[in-house]
Amino acid sequence: MSDLQISGPILVVGIGGAGAKLAREAKKAIECDCLIVSNDKRDLADENSVFVNSGKYVNPSTLKLRSFAQGKADQLRAKMEGYSTVIVMANLAGRAGAAMAPIVCNLAKSADTVITFAVMPFGFEKDRLFNAGVALRRVRESSHSTIVMDNDAFLDNNSDLSKEECYSLTNSAIMGVVSSLSSQGARPDMNILCTSKPGDSETSLRDSVSMLYQDVAGTDAIKRTVLYVMGGDKLPISALNQLVSCARGIFKEEGTTEVAMSSLPAGDGVRVSLVASAPQKTRFDAYDPLGDIIPMESHLDWEEPDSAPEIQLAIPVIE
């Protein structure tokens, strides 16, 4: 299966606070247009944006917020019209990301290519896992390529990090992949993005592979892996060659047919991130309690994502 074709004009859509931050960084990295979608006016600033007003609800549920986002469908569709490639940034651990990402991705389907970067919650955020898992399934259905960053698997490998340090490193890894899309492209369907703390390159590679093994069961189905060597411009060619050879050795027993590399500049030392195509079942599918009962190709719900619309019923007084 070949890489997706990335063509201009390109629009990056940031959803919620975390998505807005990533979208603004991506706009600078690849010099494209940017759209911010949020129910919090503090995320919008003075740029191209869509404000999803939650009305009287101060703390709306995910489904309630999704119904308000559906009410903005025409405005969102108009903002995304005319772009060949739409890149969506969403933190599915956040209420805004889980609520609006399925709506935005579904409306963006008219574009030639839709690529979604989805950030998954930490394992201790139990109240967010189910909504994140269902939102991810919806996003995967509407996107040509979905690249997932699992904060929980990263934290498992780096338990000494604070949440803010974790976010900083995972966001940096996402930006590395975004900035290389023009040269490396994106693999269709499901992809897992794994990263590590700065350190020596081989240790960083093994930490990234360890993170991958936590997310994917049966890694023999992975057919392609791309290494992103952050700070690779500081390494000698022989070290880069040795790194790729090490990766091929690791994945050889798993049946991976291709290992590619992209060297990227970085200011925080050398570290290795990788993106692995993972078409088989991942740990995120377990977030849905019906995931093992209902096959991926079968659904009980309608085409439109579930929401909780405001319905006013006029009930007459009967005496």
Side-chain angles (χ1 to χ4, degrees), residues 99-120:
M100 301 181 199
I103 300 294
V104 171
C105 292
N106 190 47
L107 294 172
K109 285 193 297 186
S110 59
D112 296 335
T113 304
V114 179
I115 301 172
T116 300
F117 287 82
V119 180
M120 300 303 287

Side-chain angles (χ1 to χ4, degrees), residues 12 35-36 44 89 107 124 129 139 197 199 204 234 237 246 252 295 303:
V12 178
L35 171 65
I36 305 301
L44 306 181
M89 301 284 187
L107 294 172
F124 58 79
L129 295 181
V139 163
K197 293 189 296 185
S204 183
K234 304 173 184 176
I237 298 297
C246 181
K252 183 177 180 181
E303 182 178 347

Side-chain angles (χ1 to χ4, degrees), residues 2 24 44 48 53 58 68 78 88 90 154 159 176-177 182 225 259 308 319:
S2 60
R24 291 187 179 103
L44 306 181
N48 188 25
N53 192 343
V58 178
F68 294 127
V88 180
F154 178 71
S159 56
V177 176
S182 59
T225 302
V259 176
E319 296 182 355

